[in-house]
Amino acid sequence: MRTNPFQKIYDICNSGNSREKLKNLPEFPRYMDIELTNTCNFRCLMCPTGVMSQKRKTGFMSDETFYKILDEIKIYKTPLRFILWGEPTLHPKLIDYLTAAKSHGIISHLNTNASRMDDDLISKLLNIPLDSIKFSFQGVDKKSYLEMRNVDFYDELISVIKKFSALRGERELPYMHVSTTITYESDEQVKRFRDDVSPYVEKVGVGRTVLSHIDIDKTKLKEDDKKTLLSLKEKESVIKVHPECPEVFDKLSICWDGKVSACCGDYDNMMIVGDLEKQTLKEIWSSDKLNRYRVILADMRHDEIELCKECYDQPDLKEPDRCS
């Protein structure tokens, strides 16, 4: 049975509460999220990149920034996740960067919408080999995917996953994960989705879509898309309870331009704690600014931080009577 190469790290990060974590911070992040780009070829309605409400400059990570990160983390063998606010397969150096990370024994993960996942890219990822990959959906069928992702790619995504699984064959890596979130979809629909994709992957995650952070008036959507988004907002089913913060005590999120954020949900540089042009990752990890965020979030005072006000991190489905 294949196991998630990140699982031991996640288990450590999910153990204990925030106050305990504040007292027992690691000397360096347990893992890091890297944003190769904050551009995307999809126009998803739940995403500030997709609805074009993002204010910060768009771009692609430079060799200088990536290899500066790699030079520092290779000492600690800090695992990397290539995710955040864009589609990483759009970066022309993706394979080079993954190969470089793996050459230093660094566990590496990729999140993707799979729109560029042709046979050549699949082969290159398998040959590295990539440690884990997550295929991102929205909804649980063709209709719900289309209305949230704004592109008719559901069937093609299923086909990519089947092909990736077949070409992987008996290889141990990469660990394959499917993830989606829902708004109004029924238990029956969710079950059918799980049944459809489970034969091809090791894990299927279903959470709830958060839409409260999207201000319709600040988007660049067409009127029809605005109406769809408004309708989906009215059906939003996320349980609005702040979580124990999974971010500030265990990881850093590095933007494409070398800015470092305290949060992977920081789409507009609202929680920047450092800059790789001026500081090392270790300096940023121990900075007064990040420590202030840690104290606030250890006390569960989410409403004191603009970005955290709308944080209801739910990677798995929860029911209202379990969150009271």
Side-chain angles (χ1 to χ4, degrees):
M1 178 181 292
R2 294 181 179 90
T3 57
N4 187 347
F6 280 79
Q7 195 58 54
K8 288 183 180 179
I9 301 164
Y10 293 157
D11 288 343
I12 294 171
C13 295
N14 291 327
S15 64
N17 60 42
S18 298
R19 286 184 176 275
E20 292 170 346
K21 288 183 176 184
L22 185 61
K23 295 177 183 177
N24 298 286
L25 287 173
E27 66 168 317
F28 199 71
R30 300 188 195 279
Y31 65 105
M32 292 192 196
D33 287 351
I34 288 187
E35 177 186 74
L36 293 188
T37 180
N38 62 337
T39 63
C40 188
N41 55 338
F42 280 9
R43 289 290 173 258
C44 306
L45 298 184
M46 78 296 172
C47 176
T49 301
V51 300
M52 295 170 285
S53 63
Q54 202 176 66
K55 296 176 183 176
R56 65 184 170 114
K57 185 179 177 181
T58 58
F60 292 79
M61 184 170 283
S62 67
D63 285 356
E64 181 183 4
T65 298
F66 178 78
Y67 288 107
K68 182 175 183 179
I69 296 166
L70 189 58
D71 282 344
E72 190 168 357
I73 69 168
K74 68 185 181 184
I75 301 169
Y76 302 92
K77 302 298 184 194
T78 308
L80 295 179
R81 303 195 311 177
F82 291 76
I83 55 177
L84 291 179
W85 291 100
E87 171 51 42
T89 61
L90 296 177
H91 198 293
K93 295 289 189 71
L94 170 65
I95 296 299
D96 292 343
Y97 291 170
L98 286 170
T99 301
K102 287 290 292 182
S103 73
H104 291 288
I106 293 169
I107 297 172
S108 300
H109 166 87
L110 175 68
N111 262 37
T112 180
N113 62 28
S115 59
R116 295 170 62 87
M117 198 66 67
D118 57 18
D119 290 358
D120 181 59
L121 181 55
I122 292 173
S123 177
K124 288 176 179 177
L125 292 172
L126 290 172
N127 289 334
I128 289 174
L130 181 67
D131 290 284
S132 70
I133 185 168
K134 180 185 287 187
F135 297 95
S136 297
F137 283 78
Q138 290 299 135
V140 289
D141 56 22
K142 193 178 179 75
K143 173 184 176 296
S144 53
Y145 180 97
L146 174 60
E147 66 186 1
M148 187 67 80
R149 290 252 160 178
N150 233 339
V151 61
D152 185 7
F153 191 68
Y154 182 85
D155 291 338
E156 289 83 353
L157 179 49
I158 295 288
S159 295
V160 167
I161 291 168
K162 290 180 179 179
K163 177 177 287 189
F164 199 108
S165 178
L167 292 174
R168 180 185 61 169
E170 298 301 316
R171 304 185 208 203
E172 185 68 20
L173 297 173
Y175 181 90
M176 293 176 63
H177 182 180
V178 159
S179 178
T180 192
T181 62
I182 62 172
T183 48
Y184 59 82
E185 291 86 339
S186 68
D187 291 345
E188 287 185 7
Q189 288 175 291
V190 171
K191 182 181 184 304
R192 190 157 52 243
F193 173 75
R194 288 186 185 275
D195 290 344
D196 286 345
V197 297
S198 290
Y200 308 101
V201 300
E202 282 67 63
K203 182 177 179 180
V204 179
V206 182
R208 296 189 184 275
T209 309
V210 179
L211 292 167
S212 51
H213 62 293
I214 301 293
D215 184 338
I216 294 178
D217 293 332
K218 294 181 180 179
T219 69
K220 297 179 182 179
L221 296 172
K222 297 176 181 178
E223 287 306 312
D224 286 348
D225 291 330
K226 287 183 178 181
K227 290 178 181 177
T228 300
L229 179 55
L230 179 60
S231 174
L232 290 167
K233 273 178 164 282
E234 292 171 349
K235 298 172 184 176
E236 185 183 47
S237 59
V238 67
I239 309 304
K240 295 192 174 182
V241 175
H242 295 310
E244 292 269 353
C245 181
E247 296 288 311
V248 295
F249 306 104
D250 296 296
K251 62 183 284 242
L252 288 174
S253 296
I254 307 173
C255 302
W256 68 268
D257 57 359
K259 300 289 193 305
V260 181
S261 178
C263 180
C264 70
D266 188 3
Y267 54 89
D268 251 343
N269 288 358
M270 291 179 274
M271 293 182 70
I272 296 298
V273 291
D275 187 340
L276 290 180
E277 285 191 4
K278 305 171 184 176
Q279 301 154 283
T280 66
L281 287 165
K282 192 163 187 177
E283 288 170 344
I284 296 168
W285 181 246
S286 303
S287 66
D288 290 342
K289 191 168 186 179
L290 183 51
N291 282 330
R292 283 196 295 272
Y293 283 134
R294 288 173 177 140
V295 170
I296 293 170
L297 292 169
D299 291 338
M300 299 297 287
R301 289 150 45 203
H302 292 64
D303 290 342
E304 295 181 21
I305 304 173
E306 188 64 30
L307 187 63
C308 302
K309 287 180 181 180
E310 302 292 343
C311 179
Y312 313 108
D313 185 50
Q314 291 193 16
D316 299 303
L317 287 178
K318 294 179 175 68
E319 302 301 327
D321 60 349
R322 297 177 187 170
C323 299
S324 56

